[in-house]
Amino acid sequence: MSSEHFPAPNGMLPYWRTEPHRLDNHRSTEALPKESDIVIVGAGYAGSSIAYHILEQTPSGSKPPSITILEARQACSGATARNGGHMKPDIYNFVATIEAEHGVEAAAEVAAFEAKHVYAVKDFVENKKIDCDYTVTKAIDVQLSSDHFQKLKNGYERLLSNGCEPTKQARFVNAKDAESFSGVKGAVGCVTYDAGSIWAYKFVLHLLEKVVSQGVNLQTHTPVSKITKSTNGSSSAARWKVETARGTIIARKVILATNAYTSALAPQYQNNIIPVRGTCCRIAVPPASTAPRLTCTYTLRWNGWDYDYLIPRADRSIVVGGARTAFIHDLNNWYNVSDDSRVLEDAVRYFDGYMQRNFVGWEDSNAYTDRVWTGIMGYSSDGFPHIGSVPGQEDQFILAGFTGHGMPQIFLAAEGIAKMVVGDVAFEETGLPRLFKTSQARLDRQENNILKGGPGNGSSQAKL
Ligand SMILES: Cc1cc2nc3c(=O)[nH]c(=O)nc-3n(C[C@H](O)[C@H](O)[C@H](O)COP(=O)(O)OP(=O)(O)OC[C@H]3O[C@@H](n4cnc5c(N)ncnc54)[C@H](O)[C@@H]3O)c2cc1C
C-alpha cells in the first residue's frame, strides 16, 4: 500500500466552493517564516478549528504563540468543502457496536460528545454571527429494511437498558407510520433526533479570517513534503523541520490536521487512516415545482453499509451524499484512493431521478442533478478518530481519521487538542472520548474494519 497520498493538485469543484472567500488563495507573507512556534498542516475544519482554539486558550496578557498554517491547495479545499454538510451525531447506531465492544461508559462518552456539537456549534455560530447556513433540525434516519431496523432497535434497547443517557433522545417510529412520517417510499421504520446542517466551507473561512486577523500566517498552495526532527533554530526547544518546495520552517510543535492524507507525512498511520473516496451531489428543484418542501435532514438506509444522506437547503435544493451501492463493488473506485479530480461515473447515474424514485409526491417535481463531486475521507481502521500526541514523537499532535463523520466531532476535538498544545494538559484531562486517543496500541492493531462493512458483511462503521 502506498503512503504517497498527498492532496491531488486539481481537485474538482464542489458546490460548496462556488462562492470563494477572499482568503481562498491567501498567503499572509510572500515568503514562508523561517521559524514558527506552531505549524498546523491542513486548513480544513480541523486545522482552522485548532488555530482558533489555540488563540482562544492563550491566557490573556501572554504573548500568543506564532502559528503558521500550511495548506497544500486552496483554503478549505479538502473533505470539508466536499461533504454533505450533515452535522448528525451518532447516538444509537455505531454507538451500539461501541457499547458491545468497549462498554456503556465509553459508548456514552462518544454519543454525548457528538450530540454536544449540534448545540455548541449553533451557539458559536450565533454568538459570532457566522454566515454559514447553520440550521438545527431533526434528522430522520429512514429504514428501508425490516431486518436492519430490528437490529438497530435491539441495539437501541440494549443501550437504554444499560443506561446510555444520550440515546434517550432518539425517537423510534414504527412501520405503520414510517412512510407518512418520513415521506420516503417503502419506509419500514424511522429514528429521529436533533441534528444540524452547515455550509462548512463558510464556517472554516470565517475561522481562518479571524485567526489571520490575529496574526496567524496562512500559506495556501504550500504542500508539506516531509517533517523531520530538527536540532536547528534559534530556540533550544526547536524540534521539527517542516519541509515544503517553498522552504523549510523550524517549529516547536507540529499539528497534523491532514485527515485522509496523514500517512504521506506520518507513515506510521498508513494502515490506520486510509483515504476513501466519497461522492455527493446537489439536486436542484425548479421554482414552480409542487413537490413537498423538506425541512428535516435524512438518511435513507437500506442496510449496514448502503445508505444516502440528504440535507435540504433554503433554496429548496438538496445535497445528497452516499451512492455507495453504485460504486462499492470496485475497490479501485474508492478504497485507498486520494484522487478527487474526477467524478465517479456510476454515482452520477445513481443520483439521476433520486428524489422522484424515493420521495412521495416528488414524481413530477422535475428535480434534477445540478452538480456531482467527489472528496477524500480519512477512514480509520478501527472507526475512531486519532487525536492527541503522536506516539513517540514529542510535540507532534494529530487530529485526523474521521471516517466520513467529522462534522459532529472536530470542533470540540480541536478545543481538546488546543488544551494539550497550549496548557500541556494530558489527553485524559481534555474531556475527549477515551476511544479517540491516538496510541501505539491502536497503531499496532492489525485489524481493518473498513472492508468488513461492505456488501455481504456485518455492519458498516461509517455513521453519516
Ligand atoms: C463526499 C464526502 C461527504 C461527506 N459528508 C459528510 C457529512 O455529511 N457529515 C460529516 O460529518 N462528515 C462528512 N464527511 C466527512 C467530513 O467532511 C470530514 O470528516 C471533515 O471535513 C474532515 O475535516 P479535516 O479538516 O480533518 O479534513 P480536510 O477538510 O480534508 O482537511 C485536510 C486538509 O489538509 C490538507 N493537507 C493534507 N496533506 C497536506 C500536506 N502534506 N501539506 C499541506 N496540506 C495538506 C488538505 O489539502 C486539506 O485541505 C464527508 C466527506 C466527504 C469527502
Side-chain angles (χ1 to χ4, degrees), residues 23 44-53 124 128 130 201-214 411:
L23 295 186
Y45 185 21
S48 60
S49 301
I50 293 167
Y52 173 81
H53 285 299
F124 183 73
K128 305 289 177 195
I130 305 174
Y201 172 83
K202 290 193 176 182
F203 180 81
V204 166
L205 266 293
H206 177 95
L207 294 183
L208 291 175
E209 187 164 39
K210 166 95 175 123
V211 298
V212 165
S213 76
Q214 292 174 276
F411 190 62

Coordinates of all heavy atoms in Angstrom, one line a residue, residues 23 44-53 124 128 130 201-214 411:
L23 N -9.9 34.8 1.1 CA -8.7 34.2 1.6 C -8.5 32.8 0.9 O -7.6 32.1 1.3 CB -8.8 33.9 3.1 CG -8.8 35.2 4.0 CD1 -8.8 34.8 5.5 CD2 -7.7 36.1 3.7
G44 N -8.4 22.8 6.8 CA -9.8 22.3 6.7 C -10.5 22.7 8.1 O -10.1 23.5 8.8
Y45 N -11.6 21.9 8.3 CA -12.3 22.1 9.6 C -11.4 21.9 10.8 O -11.4 22.6 11.8 CB -13.5 21.1 9.5 CG -14.5 21.1 10.6 CD1 -14.8 22.2 11.4 CD2 -15.3 19.9 10.8 CE1 -15.8 22.1 12.4 CE2 -16.3 19.8 11.8 CZ -16.5 20.9 12.6 OH -17.5 20.8 13.5
A46 N -10.5 20.9 10.7 CA -9.7 20.6 11.8 C -8.6 21.6 12.0 O -8.5 22.2 13.1 CB -9.0 19.2 11.6
G47 N -7.9 21.9 11.0 CA -6.8 22.9 11.1 C -7.2 24.3 11.5 O -6.6 24.9 12.4
S48 N -8.3 24.7 10.9 CA -8.8 26.1 11.3 C -9.4 26.1 12.7 O -9.2 27.1 13.5 CB -9.9 26.5 10.3 OG -11.0 25.6 10.4
S49 N -10.0 25.0 13.1 CA -10.6 25.0 14.5 C -9.5 24.9 15.5 O -9.6 25.6 16.6 CB -11.5 23.7 14.7 OG -12.5 23.7 13.8
I50 N -8.4 24.2 15.2 CA -7.3 24.1 16.2 C -6.7 25.5 16.3 O -6.4 26.0 17.5 CB -6.2 23.1 15.7 CG1 -6.7 21.7 15.7 CG2 -4.9 23.2 16.5 CD1 -5.9 20.7 14.9
A51 N -6.4 26.2 15.2 CA -5.8 27.6 15.3 C -6.7 28.5 16.1 O -6.2 29.2 17.0 CB -5.6 28.1 13.9
Y52 N -8.0 28.4 15.9 CA -8.9 29.2 16.6 C -8.9 29.0 18.1 O -8.7 29.9 18.9 CB -10.4 29.0 16.1 CG -11.4 29.7 17.0 CD1 -11.6 31.1 16.8 CD2 -12.0 29.1 18.0 CE1 -12.5 31.8 17.6 CE2 -12.9 29.7 18.9 CZ -13.1 31.1 18.7 OH -14.0 31.8 19.5
H53 N -8.9 27.7 18.5 CA -8.9 27.3 19.9 C -7.6 27.6 20.6 O -7.6 28.0 21.8 CB -9.3 25.9 20.1 CG -10.8 25.6 19.9 ND1 -11.8 26.2 20.6 CD2 -11.4 24.8 19.0 CE1 -13.0 25.8 20.2 NE2 -12.8 24.9 19.2
F124 N -22.1 28.9 19.0 CA -20.9 29.6 18.5 C -21.2 30.4 17.2 O -20.9 31.6 17.1 CB -19.8 28.5 18.1 CG -18.5 29.0 17.7 CD1 -17.7 29.7 18.6 CD2 -18.2 29.0 16.3 CE1 -16.5 30.2 18.1 CE2 -17.0 29.5 15.9 CZ -16.1 30.1 16.8
K128 N -21.0 34.5 17.2 CA -20.0 35.1 16.3 C -20.7 35.6 15.1 O -20.0 36.1 14.2 CB -18.9 34.1 16.0 CG -18.2 33.5 17.2 CD -17.4 34.5 17.9 CE -16.8 33.8 19.2 NZ -16.2 34.7 20.1
I130 N -21.8 34.0 12.4 CA -21.2 33.4 11.2 C -22.2 33.1 10.2 O -23.1 32.4 10.4 CB -20.4 32.2 11.6 CG1 -19.4 32.5 12.8 CG2 -19.6 31.6 10.4 CD1 -18.7 31.3 13.4
Y201 N -17.6 25.1 4.4 CA -16.6 26.0 3.8 C -16.7 27.4 4.4 O -15.7 28.0 4.8 CB -16.7 26.0 2.3 CG -15.8 27.0 1.6 CD1 -14.5 26.7 1.3 CD2 -16.3 28.3 1.3 CE1 -13.7 27.7 0.7 CE2 -15.5 29.3 0.7 CZ -14.2 28.9 0.4 OH -13.3 29.9 -0.2
K202 N -17.9 27.9 4.5 CA -18.1 29.3 5.0 C -17.7 29.3 6.5 O -17.1 30.3 7.0 CB -19.5 29.7 4.8 CG -19.9 30.0 3.4 CD -21.2 30.7 3.2 CE -21.4 31.0 1.7 NZ -22.6 31.8 1.5
F203 N -18.0 28.3 7.2 CA -17.7 28.3 8.7 C -16.1 28.3 8.8 O -15.6 29.1 9.6 CB -18.2 27.0 9.3 CG -17.9 26.8 10.7 CD1 -18.7 27.4 11.7 CD2 -16.9 26.0 11.2 CE1 -18.4 27.2 13.1 CE2 -16.6 25.8 12.5 CZ -17.4 26.4 13.5
V204 N -15.5 27.5 8.0 CA -14.0 27.4 8.1 C -13.3 28.7 7.7 O -12.4 29.2 8.4 CB -13.5 26.2 7.3 CG1 -12.0 26.2 7.1 CG2 -13.9 24.9 7.9
L205 N -13.8 29.3 6.6 CA -13.2 30.5 6.2 C -13.4 31.6 7.2 O -12.6 32.5 7.4 CB -13.7 30.9 4.8 CG -12.9 30.4 3.6 CD1 -11.5 31.1 3.6 CD2 -12.6 28.9 3.6
H206 N -14.6 31.6 7.9 CA -14.8 32.6 9.0 C -13.7 32.4 10.0 O -13.1 33.3 10.5 CB -16.1 32.4 9.6 CG -16.4 33.3 10.7 ND1 -17.0 34.6 10.6 CD2 -16.0 33.2 12.0 CE1 -17.0 35.2 11.8 NE2 -16.4 34.4 12.7
L207 N -13.4 31.1 10.4 CA -12.4 30.9 11.5 C -11.0 31.3 10.9 O -10.2 32.0 11.7 CB -12.3 29.4 11.8 CG -13.5 28.7 12.5 CD1 -13.2 27.3 12.8 CD2 -13.9 29.5 13.8
L208 N -10.7 31.0 9.7 CA -9.4 31.4 9.1 C -9.3 32.9 9.1 O -8.2 33.5 9.4 CB -9.2 30.8 7.7 CG -9.1 29.3 7.7 CD1 -9.0 28.8 6.3 CD2 -7.8 28.9 8.4
E209 N -10.4 33.6 8.7 CA -10.3 35.1 8.7 C -10.0 35.6 10.1 O -9.2 36.5 10.2 CB -11.7 35.6 8.2 CG -11.7 37.1 7.9 CD -12.9 37.5 7.1 OE1 -14.0 37.0 7.3 OE2 -12.7 38.4 6.2
K210 N -10.7 35.1 11.0 CA -10.5 35.5 12.4 C -9.0 35.3 12.9 O -8.4 36.2 13.4 CB -11.5 34.7 13.3 CG -11.2 34.8 14.8 CD -12.1 35.9 15.4 CE -12.0 35.9 16.9 NZ -11.5 37.1 17.5
V211 N -8.5 34.1 12.6 CA -7.1 33.8 13.2 C -6.1 34.6 12.4 O -5.1 35.1 12.9 CB -6.8 32.3 13.2 CG1 -7.8 31.6 14.2 CG2 -6.8 31.6 11.9
V212 N -6.3 34.8 11.1 CA -5.4 35.6 10.3 C -5.3 37.0 10.8 O -4.3 37.6 10.9 CB -5.7 35.5 8.8 CG1 -5.0 36.5 7.9 CG2 -5.4 34.1 8.2
S213 N -6.5 37.5 11.1 CA -6.6 38.9 11.7 C -5.8 39.0 13.0 O -5.4 40.1 13.4 CB -8.0 39.4 11.8 OG -8.6 38.8 12.9
Q214 N -5.6 37.9 13.7 CA -4.9 37.9 15.0 C -3.5 37.5 14.8 O -2.8 37.2 15.8 CB -5.6 36.9 15.9 CG -7.0 37.3 16.4 CD -7.7 36.2 17.2 OE1 -8.2 35.3 16.6 NE2 -7.5 36.3 18.5
F411 N -15.0 20.1 15.9 CA -14.8 21.4 16.6 C -14.4 21.3 18.0 O -13.5 22.0 18.5 CB -16.1 22.2 16.4 CG -16.0 23.7 16.8 CD1 -15.1 24.5 16.1 CD2 -16.7 24.2 17.9 CE1 -14.9 25.8 16.5 CE2 -16.5 25.5 18.3 CZ -15.6 26.4 17.5

